[in-house]
Amino acid sequence: MSVIVMEYIAGQADVAVIGAGHAGVEAALASARLGCSTVLFTISNDAVANMPCNPSIGGTGKGQLVYEVDALGGEMGRAADKVMLQDRTLNSSKGPAVQSKRIQADRRKYQEVMKKTCEHTDNLRLIQAEIVEVRTKETDGKVSVCSVVTRLGGVWDVKAIVVCTGTYLDSRVIIGEVRYSSGPDGLHAAVGLTESLKKLGIEFYRFKTGTPPRIDSRSVDYSKLEIQEGNEKLEPYSKDTDVDELQKRPKLPCYIAYTNEKTHQIIRDNLHRSPLYSGDIKGIGPRYCPSIEDKVVRFKDKTRHQLFLEPTGEGMNEMYLQGFSSSMPADVQLQMLRSMEGFEHAETMRSAYAIEYDCIDSRQLFPTLEFKDISGLYGAGQFNGTSGYEEAAAQGLIAGINAALKVLGKEQITLTRNSSYIGTLIDDLVTKGTGEPYRMMTSRTEFRLLLRQDNADERLSEIGYKIGLLPEKRYKMYQNKIKMIEEEIERCNSTVISPNSELNSILESIGESPISTGVRLADVIRRPDVTYEMLAPVDKGRPNLPDDVIFGVVTRIKYDGYIKKQFAEAARFEKLEKKKIPSGTDYLKIRGLSTEAAQKLDKQRPFTIGEASRISGVSPADIEVLLIYLDAKKG
């Protein structure tokens, strides 16, 4: 029986953000801080910035995103620092281009910090209400958003909308033979909004993700597991964080466990009950985060798979078993769990589950994250087909910034691939699209030596300050850092060290050849096994510098040749990125373009030649034709 809901005028705002996960929170805070009246809608006020999957922030390629969000004036890094339980640098034995920070976070405290931040931000209202409809208006043939409607009939008139619905859109939880409509963590699914957006012509995919079981810590035999400690000194994500205060945070270990042949046999014996292999799961899952049953089937030669047991909060017994995602029936999950060493008597506090949800074809978006055919409508986070809190926060920040700039009548921002991981992420989404949940990795960028996590502030602070998100205090910190790095590099290049027994003793102790003539300090630092710190006894004139400045100095000196080479490549890339394509270009009428290229260019409508060159099906020959056409039009 259908019920007619009476509508009423609930309010108005400049910007409405639908969903208060990691994308929604960043979008709403950015919009409000830029001076726009903003309303943030959430299915539950108790689920703001929820961490329904892993209790961590960062990771390979993801840590870079968090540093970049902070450099632009976003919130994730500040909040993460306040709830840090462990700090690790991934790939620390490798070069700085692939080093990434990852922290364990207290998930409930993270929510508390973010909710409080939203509640105390001027121009921002947090409202528990499910949005079921987006309405548009047409003026002079141009479609633009005008309002959103809640399930209870409340109509909010707005000028821009950012959709950040995460994994809630028509979502379905699947555990073995059991399936039911639900969002993550037992919250109800968002039903109705997908249909509303489809009526506006938006194309959707069906994706799937999953999460492992949560284990009662009291039921685990830790004597059979390997302990994994974090860094002794905690390093902040945010430049706003007091480093000394950060050291007072509790430091909790993680633990390493392994599956075994018995575990694998239980999985193989029950594959007929796995919805992943019975065909019950229709959504496309993440390639780089497969379920444990998928790993056992795909990697038959492996006798064990590594797992990580991670704390979810200070003083909490609920532990997260990373690497053990599953959609197996609950009884099978328990058999699998108890087959492993250390888990013989394990008790689950939450069963693992798979979740299917609706998301869009991200090629419908401009690089500003605004929909091409609907003015004022933006998408961010898992709604755009990505996975991960960090990817969501990065997109939410950019979408929120651009929604606000549009309302304010200012030019929107677009980050390029050579400027940031955020730019790479968005460019991949809007030019190539994604046929599976997209995860950021350092291998995604061609410029990873330029886009290190240690220089995110150097790359993006100027942009954050210019648009008005980054405070002047932070901007001056960035300027001071740059000044100190440049001055110290100059000093290292101009300081000559004469041969002496103390220096040669240091060099010989690490297997380096001694010096017999005067040598520049920079050349000594450039040696592979030499560290800046070990040269202190022979470098009497060095200033007292912060750790991040020293890291920047050493990286620039050691990798000077490679960095210059990547800067040259970035300059060539920039040339194509600056070559704008007029918005009204009719690709179907350009002679010489292949049919496939003309059709794809017409559909995706790239901003620049660089963007056009990365669209699948557009060849270098097509780009040459397009360049000739644009030059002729200019003439």
Side-chain angles (χ1 to χ4, degrees):
M1 179 181 173
S2 61
V3 178
I4 298 175
V5 179
M6 296 295 293
E7 292 187 358
Y8 65 98
I9 302 301
Q12 59 183 23
D14 292 325
V15 178
V17 179
I18 305 173
H22 303 279
V25 164
E26 293 290 351
L29 289 171
S31 171
R33 287 166 175 168
L34 289 176
C36 289
S37 61
T38 305
V39 57
L40 174 59
F41 294 104
T42 173
I43 280 178
S44 171
N45 278 351
D46 297 325
V48 172
N50 186 27
M51 302 173 79
C53 202
N54 52 307
S56 63
I57 292 175
T60 305
K62 292 167 172 276
Q64 281 86 336
L65 289 172
V66 183
Y67 278 107
E68 290 178 356
V69 166
D70 183 68
L72 287 166
E75 195 65 31
M76 177 173 264
R78 275 194 293 268
D81 290 343
K82 292 174 184 175
V83 301
M84 191 184 298
L85 298 174
Q86 188 190 86
D87 179 19
R88 292 185 66 225
T89 302
L90 306 183
N91 298 322
S92 58
S93 61
K94 298 180 181 178
V98 294
Q99 291 177 10
S100 300
K101 180 184 178 71
R102 183 181 190 268
I103 72 155
Q104 293 301 132
D106 188 316
R107 67 183 292 245
R108 292 305 180 202
K109 286 184 179 174
Y110 185 84
Q111 285 181 265
E112 182 185 328
V113 166
M114 278 299 203
K115 183 170 186 279
K116 190 175 289 185
T117 300
C118 289
E119 289 178 344
H120 292 271
T121 296
D122 292 341
N123 302 319
L124 178 56
R125 286 170 285 179
L126 175 65
I127 295 178
Q128 181 170 302
E130 181 187 352
I131 301 300
V132 295
E133 185 181 359
V134 167
R135 290 179 177 171
T136 61
K137 62 183 179 182
E138 188 171 337
T139 307
D140 299 326
K142 187 177 182 181
V143 177
S144 59
V145 299
C146 61
S147 60
V148 294
V149 184
T150 72
R151 183 164 295 285
L152 301 182
V155 179
W156 286 78
D157 292 332
V158 296
K159 298 172 185 174
I161 300 167
V162 186
V163 184
C164 308
T165 46
T167 59
Y168 285 85
L169 281 187
D170 282 347
S171 52
R172 183 176 74 136
V173 163
I174 305 166
I175 306 171
E177 301 88 356
V178 178
R179 63 235 38 217
Y180 52 91
S181 174
S182 176
D185 272 354
L187 295 166
H188 72 79
V191 179
L193 185 57
T194 293
E195 286 308 309
S196 169
L197 295 173
K198 281 182 177 178
K199 287 176 183 176
L200 298 179
I202 295 172
E203 298 174 12
F204 279 83
Y205 290 143
R206 188 77 170 163
F207 278 3
K208 164 255 173 188
T209 189
T211 191
R214 308 311 194 267
I215 314 301
D216 189 330
S217 179
R218 296 167 297 183
S219 66
V220 177
D221 184 349
Y222 287 98
S223 68
K224 296 181 179 180
L225 306 184
E226 299 172 24
I227 193 166
Q228 184 186 57
E229 302 282 3
N231 299 336
E232 182 57 35
K233 182 182 180 183
L234 302 180
E235 295 291 344
Y237 269 124
S238 176
K239 298 295 182 186
D240 288 323
T241 300
D242 185 305
V243 178
D244 293 331
E245 281 297 311
L246 186 63
Q247 306 315 309
K248 299 175 185 177
R249 291 285 312 153
K251 298 183 183 76
L252 301 186
C254 295
Y255 297 86
I256 298 172
Y258 296 93
T259 62
N260 53 50
E261 270 303 333
K262 186 178 178 182
T263 317
H264 299 180
Q265 192 57 51
I266 292 169
I267 290 171
R268 286 190 287 264
D269 290 345
N270 287 279
L271 281 178
H272 64 286
R273 297 185 65 192
S274 166
L276 191 63
Y277 288 93
S278 68
D280 286 342
I281 291 179
K282 309 296 182 187
I284 302 167
R287 178 183 314 204
Y288 301 102
C289 190
S291 66
I292 187 63
E293 54 263 39
D294 204 19
K295 285 189 271 194
V296 168
V297 170
R298 285 164 55 186
F299 306 107
K300 294 182 174 66
D301 57 323
K302 280 193 171 287
T303 57
R304 67 178 190 172
H305 291 281
Q306 190 178 57
L307 310 173
F308 298 89
L309 192 63
E310 304 172 347
T312 62
E314 185 184 359
M316 294 175 66
N317 283 327
E318 192 171 358
M319 302 291 283
Y320 177 90
L321 190 54
Q322 188 199 142
F324 208 68
S325 292
S326 179
S327 57
M328 282 289 200
D331 60 304
V332 177
Q333 289 185 32
L334 203 55
Q335 290 178 54
M336 291 156 52
L337 184 64
R338 290 178 176 171
S339 70
M340 300 186 298
E341 282 197 32
F343 296 90
E344 292 87 351
H345 305 288
E347 297 289 344
T348 55
M349 296 178 72
R350 306 185 198 212
S351 293
Y353 63 86
I355 184 168
E356 287 186 330
Y357 56 96
D358 293 335
C359 60
I360 64 161
D361 179 347
S362 54
R363 291 171 295 183
Q364 297 168 94
L365 303 171
F366 287 125
T368 57
L369 296 180
E370 183 179 19
F371 276 86
K372 293 173 180 175
D373 294 325
I374 306 171
S375 179
L377 182 63
Y378 297 79
Q382 286 175 290
F383 175 73
N384 287 353
T386 58
S387 69
Y389 311 144
E390 304 82 6
E391 291 89 339
Q395 294 170 75
L397 178 63
I398 298 303
I401 288 171
N402 283 328
L405 292 176
K406 186 178 184 76
V407 168
L408 296 170
K410 298 180 180 179
E411 184 180 356
Q412 298 182 52
I413 66 166
T414 299
L415 298 183
T416 59
R417 294 184 72 88
N418 60 323
S419 74
S420 56
Y421 272 81
I422 298 177
T424 302
L425 162 65
I426 293 174
D427 183 72
D428 280 349
L429 290 175
V430 303
T431 59
K432 302 171 187 175
T434 181
E436 62 190 41
Y438 178 104
R439 175 179 177 162
M440 179 47 73
M441 298 174 287
T442 54
S443 58
R444 298 275 192 192
T445 176
E446 314 91 303
F447 307 107
R448 61 187 183 184
L449 191 53
L450 302 183
L451 309 183
R452 308 181 309 276
Q453 62 180 20
D454 68 281
N455 71 350
D457 55 338
E458 299 170 43
R459 294 181 279 111
L460 298 173
S461 292
E462 198 82 45
I463 297 171
Y465 180 68
K466 184 179 177 183
I467 61 178
L469 264 191
L470 196 70
E472 188 164 355
K473 176 187 173 185
R474 279 284 304 276
Y475 185 64
K476 286 182 176 176
M477 287 170 64
Y478 142 73
Q479 289 180 312
N480 190 43
K481 177 188 171 184
I482 293 292
K483 182 172 179 288
M484 286 191 288
I485 288 175
E486 290 175 349
E487 286 177 351
E488 180 61 0
I489 290 175
E490 175 60 32
R491 189 188 72 83
C492 290
N493 279 321
S494 59
T495 299
V496 176
I497 302 179
S498 301
N500 64 79
S501 58
E502 192 172 13
L503 174 59
N504 284 336
S505 177
I506 292 169
L507 294 175
E508 288 170 343
S509 71
I510 58 171
E512 288 282 348
S513 57
I515 64 169
S516 55
T517 59
V519 63
R520 291 186 308 161
L521 177 59
D523 290 331
V524 180
I525 293 172
R526 204 167 276 123
R527 293 189 178 196
D529 295 320
V530 172
T531 67
Y532 184 86
E533 291 74 17
M534 69 174 55
L535 297 178
V538 295
D539 183 20
K540 309 296 185 186
R542 69 170 47 178
N544 186 24
L545 297 171
D547 290 345
D548 61 338
V549 170
I550 292 171
F551 191 92
V553 168
V554 172
T555 299
R556 288 198 196 184
I557 289 174
K558 282 187 179 290
Y559 296 91
D560 181 55
Y562 297 106
I563 289 173
K564 284 176 179 173
K565 185 178 178 183
Q566 281 213 345
F567 267 126
E569 291 170 2
R572 288 192 292 272
F573 173 88
E574 192 72 26
K575 258 181 105 174
L576 292 179
E577 291 304 304
K578 286 181 176 176
K579 191 86 172 174
K580 302 288 185 186
I581 301 175
S583 58
T585 300
D586 188 346
Y587 299 99
L588 300 176
K589 291 184 179 178
I590 298 177
R591 293 180 62 184
L593 280 180
S594 69
T595 302
E596 181 184 8
Q599 289 172 346
K600 289 191 171 180
L601 289 166
D602 184 63
K603 183 177 181 179
Q604 293 189 222
R605 284 172 278 159
F607 274 179
T608 68
I609 288 290
E611 191 185 331
S613 69
R614 294 186 293 278
I615 296 173
S616 173
V618 177
S619 69
D622 292 316
I623 294 299
E624 283 300 318
V625 169
L626 195 51
L627 284 168
I628 292 169
Y629 170 81
L630 292 176
D631 285 342
K633 289 281 285 184
K634 193 189 296 181

